[in-house]
Amino acid sequence: MSDRSQLEGLVNQLLDEAKVQGATAAEADVSLVTGLSTTVRLGEVETIEHNRDRGLAVTVYVGQRKGSASTSDFSASAVKEAVSAACGIARYTAEDGYAGLADPELMAYEYADLDLYHPWDLNAEHAIELGQTCEAAARDFDRRITNSEGASVSMHEGVRVYGNSHGFVGSYPTSRHSVSCSVIAQEGEAMQRDYWYSTTRSAEDLEGVESIGSHAAERAVRRLNGRRLATCQSAVVFAAEVASSLLSHLVGAIRGESLYRNASFLVDSLGQRLFPSIVNISEQPHLTKALGSAPFDAEGVLTSSRELVKDGVLQGYVLDSYSARKLGMQTTGNAGGVHNLIIEPGRKDLAEMLKEMDNGLLVTELMGQGVNKVTGDYSRGASGFWVEQGEIQYPVEEFTIAGNLRNMFLGVREIGRDVDLRRNVRTGSILIEEMTIAGA
Amino acid sequence: MSDTFDIARGLLLDSGNLTEGQLHDVLGQALTHSIDYADLYFQVNRHESWVLEDGIVKEGSHGLDRGVGVRAVSGEKTGFAYSDEITLGALTDAATTARNIARSGQEKRVQAWAASPHPMLYEPVDPIGTLTEHDKVELLSRLDAEARKQDPRVKQVIVSLTGVHDAVLVAASDGTLAADVRPLVRLNVSVVVEQDGRREVGYTGGGGRYGYDYFLAGERATGYAREAVRQALVNLQAREAPAGTMNVVLGPGWPGVLLHEAIGHGLEGDFNRKGTSAFSGRVGERVASEQCTVVDDGTLPNRRGSLTTDDEGVPAQTTVLIEDGILKGYMHDKLNGRLMGVTSTGNGRRESYAHLPMPRMTNTYMLAGRYDPQEIIASVDKGLYAVNFGGGQVDITSGKFVFSASEAYVIEKGKISYPVKGATLIGNGPDVLTRVTMVGKDLALDEGVGTCGKEGQSVPVGVGQPTLRVDGLTVGGTTGG
């Protein structure tokens, strides 16, 4: 790939320029992503977008002072200007004893090919046909599907290069393709919208477009005639497609930045029991073809697999080199985030999870950002289904679910085997003992 | 034309040696297929940010993004391509790609450029140069000291300062040739306080379309620091929030996020053209109590959501959404306006040259009513008084919306009793304003920190409202019921 060597050259240019302009250390990140996105609505083409996004970012250190700059302009003069802007800032930022690159011995001087690049030779005509087939499957699914927000098909491929003044330069190409469909079901005056999507590294792994369409339609129709709930305490099953948000809240609270700022309800929680013993959570950055895989993190640190939660006990934090130094620890290779966080699946599918719950709430959609990472207080809008004796009774909407994440984590009773593979955080459905539902 | 236009032309066209005649030719090429409309959107966006943490300014960054987007519209179809190089060659390539949305057909003519006069809502300043680097660092340090001296329980202070200089130029086949130079500054303070092992956070800030000197006026900036600490200390005393449906009094200003979520998004033209909004086809119907008049107003001087011209070159307007409780109209961009047989209301906005425009809000607020705010609180026997909020979200189609309180109090027998923890409030958009029983006379706009997300695109917006009493809103706390 000629793009790749060109971008590597640009990283070296940035690092050289930083040295020339007086930086004692520097790191640079350059990326280029190209793609095509089409949307079809009610059988007709709505949009065709040709994407080509590129960017370069450089961080310089002058002693312990730091400055950064970025631009979409790759010209030689822009490279000089970006470095100059970064160095200009570093003249005014304060000496920070913790600032700097990750340690040189942690760099990913050798790394495996994780099979993340599968370009899709997709032209606009083909993308439109796929979208039309997908949307038609949704609209033909049920006579109550009366309207559509359309079906989208997109393909993207790109390359990212990272390098720093330790002499490390790493790069790898990736691809990501998606099909999604969103339709509206109507009965009387009331309308409900829902969607379904598939996203993968390789087009051949995408869910069939007709299956995506009918799945979207089924989800929209089943929400019709939703009732409100009375305010009560109830067990809650988070369906797999929303359960990953609970693990994202965990990650947010054990990120180094939250910890050294004392802005987390999980400060000093290492070695503590956060979940019941059935919960095991690992990070697996090297899964081939996975959406969250990365051979090295945003500081060039070699990533590796690890156990984050074992038998319910927290084994580690999520750190980059800066927060690690602040906490007197070692980076965990998480600059830029986690790479494939996986909660060990249990043995039950969703139907068996509902049987296990017996009476309670199945949540299939969450709304709003009502989660306080500092206190763990949780209060979000939701919709889903009321369950009695293990069977779905009717759709429910316009209520909130609330609790505190510490209690919610300890209250996890069961993890499903219905794992959602479409995210960087992989989990099946999760049954939580008790939460407060506020409704009518 | 104006200073603004000359500045934008200098930044966007002159460096690529482009002339207005060449833009006319490129649009002409785009129209050679059966295209109804084509536009070119040039943008250069320079931005910086500075962050203080642990008592030192330890990070700063500078960014520069430049490019041009070309859009070709045929009926309901849109073709779109963009380039981060502003040259005639790149522009011609993008136009050729975008016009492929339509088959070859009858040629149309690009209209001659026609200027649309409009008042300037803000000075075309570059905020980044309005304060020296030394003074920016000094400002952040001053806020850190101000926050820490408020109370020994303050354990962490994070202050961030951002400045944006955004110059855009729009040339369209309908004869539009317009430019805007948009300054935008923002200053935020967040604090963590701790007492007996309990931690709470307070977060505040402000800004608008100004240079950084805006923050130096009087006690404005230090006021943010004191306010963040005040909120955090209130939250240290907060008890569990109530759960269930109750009467809620919403404070003035930022709680107007209610309007943004509950009705604003649902009144955007694209959803209504497609019939996917809970408000579709309801113009002329009662959707609020007769005390409620709600507008979207992009013409307020220096406000964060204001635009001298929108991203399609249409001057910003004041659009009445709800008048005395009756739904009056929607917010439109050119595409959705044309398809619905009306003109744009100046609400066509896009995150950048690399994104397609769509109908978006500017500053959305409810006009003042007749009640004294104290009288409104006194009228509630048992309920919630919510004065600060985080973000919200809405499901356009079902109309269900949420917004999350970050500072709230229980009202007992008409008096503010004790603070409660943050909780999410949930309601039904088409219905919630019909249950507004009292509208205060204390209209206030927010401090200028709002950002709205829609289909992956973020744009700065404003909200506002007077004190409101809403009966029967569901409060998502953990106690009672």
Side-chain angles (χ1 to χ4, degrees):
Chain A
M1 206 179 168
S2 69
D3 277 345
R4 190 168 167 185
S5 51
Q6 214 172 14
L7 298 189
E8 283 180 2
L10 196 55
V11 163
N12 284 320
Q13 232 179 312
L14 282 161
L15 297 174
D16 290 346
E17 183 63 29
K19 199 168 178 183
V20 168
Q21 294 197 28
T24 49
E27 54 192 328
D29 207 315
V30 178
S31 66
L32 170 64
V33 177
T34 59
L36 171 73
S37 314
T38 64
T39 307
V40 167
R41 180 172 174 266
L42 300 178
E44 299 287 332
V45 179
E46 188 170 62
T47 58
I48 302 177
E49 293 188 43
H50 299 268
N51 307 119
R52 182 172 183 277
D53 297 295
R54 60 183 196 177
L56 67 83
V58 60
T59 296
V60 301
Y61 298 89
V62 180
Q64 292 303 110
R65 298 174 193 270
K66 178 183 175 184
S68 304
S70 65
T71 178
S72 57
D73 188 343
F74 282 14
S75 67
S77 61
V79 164
K80 276 197 166 62
E81 282 166 30
V83 171
S84 163
C87 289
I89 287 166
R91 275 196 285 279
Y92 293 95
T93 47
E95 294 268 343
D96 181 351
Y98 303 100
L101 304 175
D103 294 343
E105 62 273 18
L106 300 176
M107 295 297 113
Y109 293 110
E110 284 177 33
Y111 51 89
D113 177 357
L114 302 178
D115 198 21
L116 306 177
Y117 180 61
H118 296 268
W120 186 7
D121 185 20
L122 179 74
N123 59 33
E125 286 73 24
H126 186 206
I128 289 160
E129 271 170 40
L130 288 172
Q132 283 168 331
T133 310
C134 178
E135 196 202 30
R139 294 175 69 203
D140 294 343
F141 181 83
D142 191 293
R143 61 176 175 77
R144 289 169 291 179
I145 299 296
T146 57
N147 202 344
S148 170
E149 289 189 330
S152 299
V153 176
S154 70
M155 69 87 177
H156 288 97
E157 59 176 272
V159 60
R160 185 197 144 213
V161 182
Y162 170 86
N164 62 32
S165 52
H166 290 324
F168 173 78
V169 177
S171 70
Y172 57 95
T174 59
S175 56
R176 188 178 183 117
H177 314 301
S178 304
V179 177
S180 66
C181 184
S182 174
V183 289
I184 288 159
Q186 187 166 9
E187 196 158 358
E189 292 275 285
M191 294 194 291
Q192 291 288 349
R193 173 198 52 89
D194 215 323
Y195 66 97
W196 196 247
Y197 70 98
S198 176
T199 180
T200 55
R201 296 286 188 190
S202 165
E204 66 194 21
D205 297 331
L206 285 168
E207 185 180 339
V209 292
E210 283 162 317
S211 165
I212 291 165
S214 50
H215 216 133
E218 182 192 359
R219 290 173 64 87
V221 167
R222 69 178 187 170
R223 293 176 69 160
L224 284 167
N225 303 311
R227 304 186 199 173
R228 298 201 61 195
L229 285 167
T231 300
C232 64
Q233 304 289 317
S234 170
V236 177
V237 168
F238 286 77
E241 64 268 22
V242 294
S244 61
S245 65
L246 295 173
L247 295 188
S248 300
H249 301 321
L250 170 71
V251 171
I254 59 172
R255 280 177 63 213
E257 194 179 63
S258 307
L259 297 169
Y260 78 70
R261 288 176 173 173
N262 274 320
S264 165
F265 71 102
L266 293 179
V267 168
D268 294 329
S269 58
L270 203 58
Q272 275 186 25
R273 171 170 300 282
L274 299 184
F275 295 90
S277 58
I278 56 161
V279 176
N280 290 287
I281 303 173
S282 62
E283 187 184 14
Q284 298 178 30
H286 297 167
L287 291 180
T288 54
K289 278 182 141 181
L291 290 168
S293 292
F296 52 86
D297 77 356
E299 296 181 302
V301 172
L302 185 68
T303 51
S304 55
S305 301
R306 61 171 175 147
E307 286 179 320
L308 195 65
V309 172
K310 184 171 169 53
D311 300 332
V313 176
L314 186 67
Q315 306 295 310
Y317 292 140
V318 174
L319 308 177
D320 58 11
S321 72
Y322 182 81
S323 60
R325 283 189 287 264
K326 294 277 275 190
L327 293 164
M329 303 175 107
Q330 177 79 266
T331 175
T332 55
N334 290 114
V338 291
H339 306 104
N340 300 319
L341 202 68
I342 299 174
I343 187 162
E344 187 180 273
R347 286 190 297 274
K348 295 184 164 68
D349 64 14
L350 182 61
E352 291 163 331
M353 292 287 285
L354 299 183
K355 291 248 178 333
E356 170 75 25
M357 176 169 72
D358 196 26
N359 292 337
L361 177 68
L362 167 63
V363 170
T364 54
E365 187 165 293
L366 290 165
M367 289 179 83
Q369 302 85 39
V371 181
N372 185 333
K373 166 168 73 81
V374 179
T375 59
D377 291 327
Y378 183 102
S379 169
R380 297 188 74 185
S383 60
F385 299 87
W386 187 249
V387 174
E388 285 174 15
Q389 293 174 339
E391 300 288 337
I392 286 178
Q393 302 296 310
Y394 44 83
V396 289
E397 60 180 356
E398 201 181 335
F399 59 89
T400 60
I401 53 173
N404 184 280
L405 284 169
R406 211 177 245 286
N407 300 330
M408 288 162 63
F409 289 162
L410 284 170
V412 170
R413 199 163 84 199
E414 193 83 41
I415 315 266
R417 65 174 156 88
D418 51 339
V419 181
D420 186 347
L421 298 176
R422 299 173 299 179
R423 294 164 199 271
N424 183 24
V425 172
R426 293 184 178 184
T427 177
S429 49
I430 295 179
L431 167 58
I432 290 179
E433 205 71 51
E434 188 176 85
M435 293 186 71
T436 303
I437 297 171
Chain B
M1 283 198 218
S2 65
D3 279 0
T4 298
F5 192 89
D6 290 338
I7 293 170
R9 181 167 50 195
L11 287 168
L12 293 162
L13 302 186
D14 295 354
S15 59
N17 291 318
L18 287 167
T19 65
E20 285 160 32
Q22 286 170 328
L23 304 193
H24 209 270
D25 293 345
V26 172
L27 286 168
Q29 288 159 22
L31 284 193
T32 53
H33 287 206
S34 56
I35 297 290
D36 301 320
Y37 171 88
D39 63 12
L40 314 175
Y41 181 85
F42 297 85
Q43 182 184 36
V44 56
N45 182 296
R46 197 158 87 89
H47 48 98
E48 69 164 4
S49 73
W50 296 85
V51 182
L52 174 145
E53 179 184 291
D54 285 335
I56 57 172
V57 175
K58 63 183 195 188
E59 263 179 31
S61 65
H62 176 273
L64 181 64
D65 294 298
R66 192 189 342 240
V68 57
V70 181
R71 173 171 66 143
V73 180
S74 170
E76 296 188 31
K77 301 182 176 68
T78 300
F80 180 53
Y82 53 89
S83 168
D84 43 30
E85 287 166 45
I86 303 182
T87 61
L88 187 60
L91 202 54
T92 307
D93 287 350
T96 309
T97 306
R99 75 178 184 197
N100 283 333
I101 189 79
R103 304 281 172 218
S104 302
Q106 213 172 16
E107 283 190 35
K108 292 196 184 61
R109 268 193 146 179
V110 179
Q111 300 293 305
W113 303 134
S116 50
H118 43 265
M120 226 162 50
L121 301 175
Y122 31 80
E123 293 296 317
V125 294
D126 179 355
I128 294 172
T130 57
L131 211 55
T132 64
E133 266 60 21
H134 177 271
D135 288 346
K136 291 170 195 170
V137 167
E138 199 275 329
L139 172 64
L140 299 195
S141 301
R142 194 145 45 88
L143 297 202
D144 178 61
E146 183 72 20
R148 288 180 192 275
K149 84 175 187 204
Q150 298 304 306
D151 197 288
R153 290 170 290 180
V154 174
K155 297 300 178 200
Q156 178 64 273
V157 180
I158 296 165
V159 190
S160 66
L161 178 72
T162 61
V164 183
H165 184 240
D166 192 26
V168 305
L169 187 146
V170 187
S173 60
D174 61 3
T176 303
L177 181 64
D180 199 1
V181 177
R182 304 167 180 161
L184 190 66
V185 295
R186 180 173 158 162
L187 179 58
N188 280 101
V189 182
S190 125
V191 302
V192 177
V193 295
E194 190 174 332
Q195 180 180 1
D196 305 329
R198 177 171 173 181
R199 290 185 199 93
E200 292 285 351
V201 65
Y203 180 75
T204 187
R209 298 202 179 278
Y210 300 94
Y212 288 132
D213 42 331
Y214 173 71
F215 299 119
L216 304 181
E219 300 270 288
R220 181 171 280 132
T222 43
Y224 298 148
R226 289 194 291 270
E227 171 62 13
V229 174
R230 186 197 63 77
Q231 282 181 26
L233 295 178
V234 166
N235 284 329
L236 268 185
Q237 308 304 321
R239 306 186 205 166
E240 297 294 315
T245 297
M246 59 198 74
N247 299 333
V248 175
V249 177
L250 299 170
W254 182 244
V257 69
L258 162 80
L259 305 172
H260 180 98
E261 302 297 351
I263 62 152
H265 279 297
L267 299 180
E268 288 167 341
D270 45 355
F271 302 120
N272 289 287
R273 192 253 303 172
K274 296 173 185 174
T276 59
S277 165
F279 288 98
S280 297
R282 297 194 61 186
V283 171
E285 290 182 25
R286 173 165 298 284
V287 296
S289 80
E290 79 274 345
Q291 295 183 49
C292 300
T293 294
V294 181
V295 300
D296 183 81
D297 188 353
T299 71
L300 301 171
N302 302 105
R303 300 299 306 185
R304 184 173 163 87
S306 296
L307 301 169
T308 299
T309 77
D310 76 358
D311 293 325
E312 297 182 305
V314 179
Q317 301 176 18
T318 306
T319 305
V320 177
L321 304 176
I322 294 172
E323 188 171 30
D324 301 330
I326 305 297
L327 181 59
K328 300 306 272 192
Y330 304 121
M331 288 166 276
H332 287 295
D333 61 357
K334 285 183 179 175
L335 171 69
N336 290 285
R338 181 171 53 78
L339 293 172
M340 288 183 84
V342 295
T343 54
S344 165
T345 53
N347 289 93
R349 303 185 66 183
R350 61 204 291 177
E351 181 178 302
S352 79
Y353 68 88
H355 298 85
L356 276 170
M358 55 183 152
R360 303 294 296 264
M361 284 173 264
T362 59
N363 305 294
T364 312
Y365 59 94
M366 184 183 290
L367 303 191
R370 61 177 179 272
Y371 291 96
D372 184 88
Q374 294 310 317
E375 190 184 354
I376 296 176
I377 294 166
S379 76
V380 175
D381 185 51
K382 189 157 178 49
L384 191 78
Y385 177 51
V387 292
N388 272 305
F389 282 84
Q393 193 183 336
V394 61
D395 178 331
I396 302 295
T397 303
S398 71
K400 303 297 178 276
F401 71 94
V402 295
F403 60 134
S404 297
S406 57
E407 181 184 354
Y409 304 82
V410 158
I411 305 174
E412 287 174 325
K413 298 199 187 330
K415 292 204 161 49
I416 294 170
S417 181
Y418 55 88
V420 292
K421 284 171 172 285
T424 289
L425 278 59
I426 189 163
N428 182 34
D431 162 72
V432 67
L433 293 189
T434 64
R435 285 184 283 107
V436 171
T437 54
M438 298 172 93
V439 177
K441 50 188 177 193
D442 56 339
L443 168 64
L445 298 172
D446 71 287
E447 290 285 341
V449 296
T451 297
C452 168
K454 175 178 172 184
E455 290 170 28
Q457 293 194 42
S458 294
V459 296
V461 294
V463 296
Q465 67 176 33
T467 298
L468 296 183
R469 174 175 159 163
V470 187
D471 287 1
L473 204 52
T474 299
V475 178
T478 51
T479 62

